[in-house]
C-alpha cells in the first residue's frame, strides 16, 4: 500500500517567535507540574505519615503494584478541585486508564490520606466522568476502596448525584463489562454499595470494614453494641455474609488477587487492532513548545502540530485547496487510523461544509476522529450571514453531534464561542478531551465581552437621553475583563471538570494513542444517519 505523504516543516527553532513561545510554554509547564505535585501530595505529610504507620500502602503505590510492569497509566481529571474553595487538587480520588494482566482497565483509588477518603462534590463529579469513560469505551473497572463515604458537612451537594455511581456499576455489569472492587479499609454508608454492587470483591484481612452503619450509629439507632469485625469486617463478609468473594492476607495479596481476576476474564477488544509496525514522527515533539503560541491571539500552523503527532509525520490531506481554515485528512497514531480536523483560522462556510463532509466520510469507513481545536469561532458580519454561515456552521455541528465513531479532542489554543461546539467540545461527548496549558476557553475574550457591554450601555444611555457615566463603564469593563480572564484560564477549567486534564504538549501523541487504544476496547462503528442538513 502506498504510504501517505510526509508533511514538510517550516519551523525555525532559531527565530525570536519560536524562542519566546518555548520560554513561555516551559514556564506554564512549571506551573502545571506544581499543581500536579499538589494533587500527588494527597492529604499532606502528616496524614501520609499516619497512613504509613498503620502499615498501609499509599493509594498511588497500590495502583503501581496493580499495573503490569512498564505499562502505561493515563491519569484523568488529576486537577479536579484545584484552587476551588473547600476542595483539594484531585478531589480525593485518583483515576485513570492502565494495563492490568494485559487488559486496559479503568482504575480508581480513594485518596485515603485526605479526609479518610471521604467523597466531596467534585469527587462525585469526577467519579461520574470516569464512569462515563469506562462505559463508552467498554473498559473493565477496578475500584481500590478506602473511604469514609460522603463528606457529610456537604451532603446536600453529594447525596442526590452520588447515587448515580451505584447505578453505573450495576449497568456496567448488565452490559457484561466486569467490575472489580478491592477494599483496603473503611467502606461505609453509601460507600458500602460499591463492593455490594461490584462483580468481584476482595477484602483485606484486619483492614477492610464494610457496613451501612458503623458501631456508633448502630448503637444510636438500635441500642446494639457491635464491634467493627462482627459488624463489617473482612473475615465476617468472607465467611458469613458473602459480600466478599476473596479474603486477602494483606494489601499485596489483595492486589495479586485483583490481577488474577482480570487475567481469568479472557477479555477481548471489539475494535480494530493497530498496525503491527509503527513509525515515529520525523520531527521532535519538543518543538511543539516553540510552535504553540503562548499568546492565543497569534495563530500558528496546524500542520506543524500534526507532523509531530502522527506516525511518520505522514498525512493524507482532504480537500487541501478548499476551506483552508480547517485542515482535514487521514493519518495513523501509534498504528491506529484516525481522521483529523485541525483549525487553521476562523471557521467560514466553506471550511464548515468541508468538515461536515469529512466527518461523514470517516463514519462511512469506521475511522475515529481527532479534533485539534484552536478556534475563535465562526465568522460574523453581514456578508457571511448572507452567505449562510448559520446553516453551514449548523451542518458541522450536526455532523459532530450525530457521528458515532470515537472522537478525541485536544484543545491546543483558543476555544471560543460556537467554535467550541463545531470542534467537538465537552458538550458533544468526545471519548476524551485534553488541553494544552496555553489553552483558553470562553464564550468570547474578556476585551471583546467588555467592549460589547460598553456598546450596550452607551446605546441604552442614548435611548434614555441621559449622559454616559464614563467612570462606571470603565470600572464595569475592567471587572468583566478580569472575570473572563480568570474563568477562561485552563486551570480554572480543568478544576471544574470541563476537560479530562491538562497535558504537556510533548506527550500529545502518546495521550492520543492511549485514548485510541482504549476506544478500541468497544466496537468502532460509524453511522450514515444524520439530522436534516439545511441547504
Amino acid at each position: 500500500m502506498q504510504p501517505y505523504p510526509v508533511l514538510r516543516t517550516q519551523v525555525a527553532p532559531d527565530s525570536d517567535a519560536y524562542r519566546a513561545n518555548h520560554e513561555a510554554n516551559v514556564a506554564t509547564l512549571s506551573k502545571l507540574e506544581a499543581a500536579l505535585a499538589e494533587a500527588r501530595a494527597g492529604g499532606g505529610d502528616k496524614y501520609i505519615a499516619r497512613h504509613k504507620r498503620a502499615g498501609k500502602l499509599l493509594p498511588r503505590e497500590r495502583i503501581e503494584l496493580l499495573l503490569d510492569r512498564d505499562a502505561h497509566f493515563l491519569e484523568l481529571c488529576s486537577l479536579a478541585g484545584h484552587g476551588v474553595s473547600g476542595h483539594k487538587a484531585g478531589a480525593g480520588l485518583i483515576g485513570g486508564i492502565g494495563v492490568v494482566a494485559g487488559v486496559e482497565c479503568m482504575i480508581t483509588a480513594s485518596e485515603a490520606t485526605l479526609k479518610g477518603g471521604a467523597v466531596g462534590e467534585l469527587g462525585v463529579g469526577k467519579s461520574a466522568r470516569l464512569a462515563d469513560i469506562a462505559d463508552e469505551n467498554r473498559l473493565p473497572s477496578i475500584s481500590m476502596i478506602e473511604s469514609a463515604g460522603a463528606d457529610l458537612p456537604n451532603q446536600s451537594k453529594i447525596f442526590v448525584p452520588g447515587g448515580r455511581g451505584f447505578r453505573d456499576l450495576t449497568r456496567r455489569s448488565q452490559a457484561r463489562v466486569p467490575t472489580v472492587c478491592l477494599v483496603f479499609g473503611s467502606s461505609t454508608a453509601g460507600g458500602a454499595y460499591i463492593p455490594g454492587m461490584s462483580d468481584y470483591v476482595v477484602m483485606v484481612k484486619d483492614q477492610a470494614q464494610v457496613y451501612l452503619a458503623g458501631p456508633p450509629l448502630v448503637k444510636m439507632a438500635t441500642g446494639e453494641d457491635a464491634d467493627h469485625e462482627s459488624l463489617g469486617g473482612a473475615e465476617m463478609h468472607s465467611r458469613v455474609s458473602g459480600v466478599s468473594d476473596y479474603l486477602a492476607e494483606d494489601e499485596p495479596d489483595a492486589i495479586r488477587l485483583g490481577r488474577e481476576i482480570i487475567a481469568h476474564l479472557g477479555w477481548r477488544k471489539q475494535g480494530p487492532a493497530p498496525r503491527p509496525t509503527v513509525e515515529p514522527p520525523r520531527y521532535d515533539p519538543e518543538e511543539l513548545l516553540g510552535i504553540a503560541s503562548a499568546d492565543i491571539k497569534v495563530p500558528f500552523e496546524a500542520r506543524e502540530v500534526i507532523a509531530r503527532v502522527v506516525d511518520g509525520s505522514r498525512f493524507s490531506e482532504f480537500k487541501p485547496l478548499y476551506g483552508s481554515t480547517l485542515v482535514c485528512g487521514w493519518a495513523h497514531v501509534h498504528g491506529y487510523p484516525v481522521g483529523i480536523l485541525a483549525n487553521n483560522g476562523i471557521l467560514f462556510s466553506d471550511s464548515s461544509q468541508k468538515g461536515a463532509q469529512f466527518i461523514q466520510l470517516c463514519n462511512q469507513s469506521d475511522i475515529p476522529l481527532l479534533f485539534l481545536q484552536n478556534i475563535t469561532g465562526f465568522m460574523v458580519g453581514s456578508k457571511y450571514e448572507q452567505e449562510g454561515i448559520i446553516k453551514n456552521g449548523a451542518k458541522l455541528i450536526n455532523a459532530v453531534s450525530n457521528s458515532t465513531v470515537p472522537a478525541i479532542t485536544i484543545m491546543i489554543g483558543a476555544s471560543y464561542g460556537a467554535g467550541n461546539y463545531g470542534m467537538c467540545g465537552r458538550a458533544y461527548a468526545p471519548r476524551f478531551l485534553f488541553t494544552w496549558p496555553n489553552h483558553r476557553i470562553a464564550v468570547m475574550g474578556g476585551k471583546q465581552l467588555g467592549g460589547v457591554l460598553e456598546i450596550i450601555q452607551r446605546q441604552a444611555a442614548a435611548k434614555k437621553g441621559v449622559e454616559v457615566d464614563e467612570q462606571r463603564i470603565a470600572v464595569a469593563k475592567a471587572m468583566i475583563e478580569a472575570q473572563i480572564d480568570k474563568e477562561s484560564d485552563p486551570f480554572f477549567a480543568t478544576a471544574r471538570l470541563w476537560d479530562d486534564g491538562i497535558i504537556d504538549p510533548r506527550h500529545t501523541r502518546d495521550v492520543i494513542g492511549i485514548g485510541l487504544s482504549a476506544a478500541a476496547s468497544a466496537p468502532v462503528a460509524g453511522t450514515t444517519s444524520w439530522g436534516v442538513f439545511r441547504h
Side-chain angles (χ1 to χ4, degrees):
M1 184 178 68
Q2 182 69 29
Y4 298 157
V6 174
L7 287 168
R8 303 302 175 191
T9 185
Q10 302 296 323
V11 168
D14 57 348
S15 69
D16 291 341
Y18 180 98
R19 286 196 292 264
N21 285 336
H22 193 279
E23 182 179 348
N25 285 320
V26 167
T28 310
L29 286 174
S30 296
K31 180 181 177 182
L32 174 61
E33 183 51 42
L36 291 172
E38 178 193 338
R40 290 191 290 265
D45 293 342
K46 174 183 175 182
Y47 295 101
I48 287 174
R50 178 188 294 180
H51 192 83
K52 288 184 172 180
R53 282 197 301 272
K56 296 180 178 180
L57 294 168
L58 293 172
R60 292 180 184 275
E61 292 174 335
R62 291 167 179 164
I63 292 174
E64 192 163 344
L65 285 175
L66 180 70
L67 295 170
D68 291 356
R69 187 183 298 275
D70 298 326
H72 64 254
F73 179 67
L74 176 60
E75 189 167 351
L76 301 166
C77 309
S78 52
L79 294 182
H82 173 71
V84 180
S85 178
H87 295 272
K88 292 270 287 187
L93 181 68
I94 303 163
I97 297 171
V99 182
V100 178
V103 178
E104 272 175 318
C105 299
M106 173 59 71
I107 301 168
T108 59
S110 312
E111 182 47 86
T113 66
L114 179 63
K115 294 184 179 180
V119 179
E121 179 184 9
L122 282 172
V124 169
K126 179 174 177 176
S127 180
R129 174 57 188 153
L130 297 175
D132 283 343
I133 292 172
D135 291 345
E136 292 164 359
N137 297 290
R138 192 175 161 270
L139 299 174
S141 61
I142 304 172
S143 302
M144 307 177 83
I145 299 295
E146 184 174 5
S147 172
D151 183 15
L152 292 178
N154 294 296
Q155 63 87 28
S156 64
K157 303 173 183 176
I158 299 168
F159 174 60
V160 173
R164 178 194 152 175
F166 312 130
R167 181 205 71 181
D168 289 341
L169 280 170
T170 59
R171 287 186 174 180
R172 213 171 302 153
S173 179
Q174 188 270 341
R176 302 176 71 178
V177 180
T179 57
V180 179
C181 182
L182 312 180
V183 187
F184 294 93
S186 177
S187 186
T188 61
Y193 287 113
I194 297 177
M197 293 183 174
S198 295
D199 294 335
Y200 300 88
V201 178
V202 179
M203 294 189 187
V204 178
K205 185 178 180 180
D206 299 327
Q207 281 188 206
Q209 296 172 358
V210 178
Y211 32 57
L212 296 180
L217 183 53
V218 169
K219 176 67 174 177
M220 285 290 295
T222 69
E224 177 189 356
D225 288 310
D227 61 82
H228 288 287
E229 177 56 43
S230 61
L231 191 63
E235 290 225 32
M236 186 280 289
H237 281 307
S238 299
R239 300 179 187 278
V240 181
S241 76
V243 173
S244 169
D245 303 311
Y246 303 87
L247 180 64
E249 288 298 317
D250 53 25
E251 294 197 17
D253 190 42
I255 292 167
R256 177 191 66 80
L257 286 165
R259 289 180 51 79
E260 186 178 312
I261 290 166
I262 295 297
H264 86 240
L265 295 176
W267 192 252
R268 291 182 297 276
K269 291 189 173 189
Q270 295 185 355
R275 284 178 167 180
T277 58
V278 174
E279 185 182 5
R282 298 192 176 204
Y283 309 110
D284 190 349
E286 176 72 30
E287 293 175 340
L288 290 170
L289 298 184
I291 293 167
S293 295
D295 180 354
I296 58 164
K297 295 189 291 293
V298 178
F300 57 94
E301 173 58 57
R303 293 176 186 83
E304 297 288 5
V305 176
I306 295 170
R308 288 155 181 82
V309 169
V310 303
D311 294 357
S313 302
R314 296 183 182 278
F315 183 61
S316 177
E317 190 164 350
F318 174 68
K319 279 193 171 177
L321 303 179
Y322 182 83
S324 61
T325 60
L326 185 63
V327 177
C328 299
W330 292 274
H332 289 79
V333 178
H334 280 286
Y336 288 96
V338 66
I340 299 174
L341 298 92
N343 297 119
N344 234 9
I346 200 164
L347 285 165
F348 291 87
S349 283
D350 56 358
S351 48
S352 299
Q353 293 182 86
K354 171 182 172 178
Q357 181 187 0
F358 182 71
I359 290 170
Q360 289 179 304
L361 292 174
C362 288
N363 273 265
Q364 186 183 64
S365 302
D366 300 330
I367 295 176
L369 298 169
L370 171 62
F371 292 84
L372 298 177
Q373 190 180 122
N374 180 21
I375 182 66
T376 55
F378 291 89
M379 192 61 189
V380 296
S382 300
K383 177 179 183 293
Y384 305 101
E385 294 288 2
Q386 292 166 14
E387 289 177 352
I389 187 63
I390 292 175
K391 69 179 184 181
N392 292 317
K395 292 174 186 174
L396 177 59
I397 295 174
N398 184 332
V400 169
S401 301
N402 292 294
S403 171
T404 58
V405 292
I408 297 174
T409 300
I410 310 291
M411 294 179 170
I412 63 175
S415 179
Y416 286 125
N420 172 283
Y421 305 159
M423 291 297 292
C424 201
R426 177 64 108 195
Y428 292 80
R431 297 289 182 91
F432 300 94
L433 189 156
F434 296 96
T435 75
W436 285 3
N438 62 327
H439 160 66
R440 294 294 183 274
I441 180 170
V443 174
M444 63 181 74
K447 288 189 181 297
Q448 289 78 11
L449 182 54
V452 168
L453 294 178
E454 179 183 1
I455 291 170
I456 292 171
Q457 288 178 348
R458 289 187 184 280
Q459 289 175 343
K463 188 175 182 180
K464 294 176 182 177
V466 299
E467 189 176 343
V468 173
D469 186 336
E470 297 292 348
Q471 183 178 5
R472 182 178 179 182
I473 285 181
V475 170
K477 280 183 66 178
M479 289 178 64
I480 198 67
E481 286 179 24
Q483 177 189 337
I484 298 304
D485 286 347
K486 173 187 174 184
E487 294 178 355
S488 63
D489 183 85
F491 291 91
F492 183 95
T494 201
R496 288 156 180 80
L497 297 166
W498 295 359
D499 55 60
D500 297 323
I502 304 174
I503 62 172
D504 185 328
R506 296 169 293 189
H507 301 159
T508 303
R509 169 178 165 80
D510 290 341
V511 169
I512 294 169
I514 293 170
L516 291 170
S517 178
S521 293
V524 175
T527 183
T528 56
S529 178
W530 310 93
V532 173
F533 285 100
R534 184 177 295 277
H535 294 287

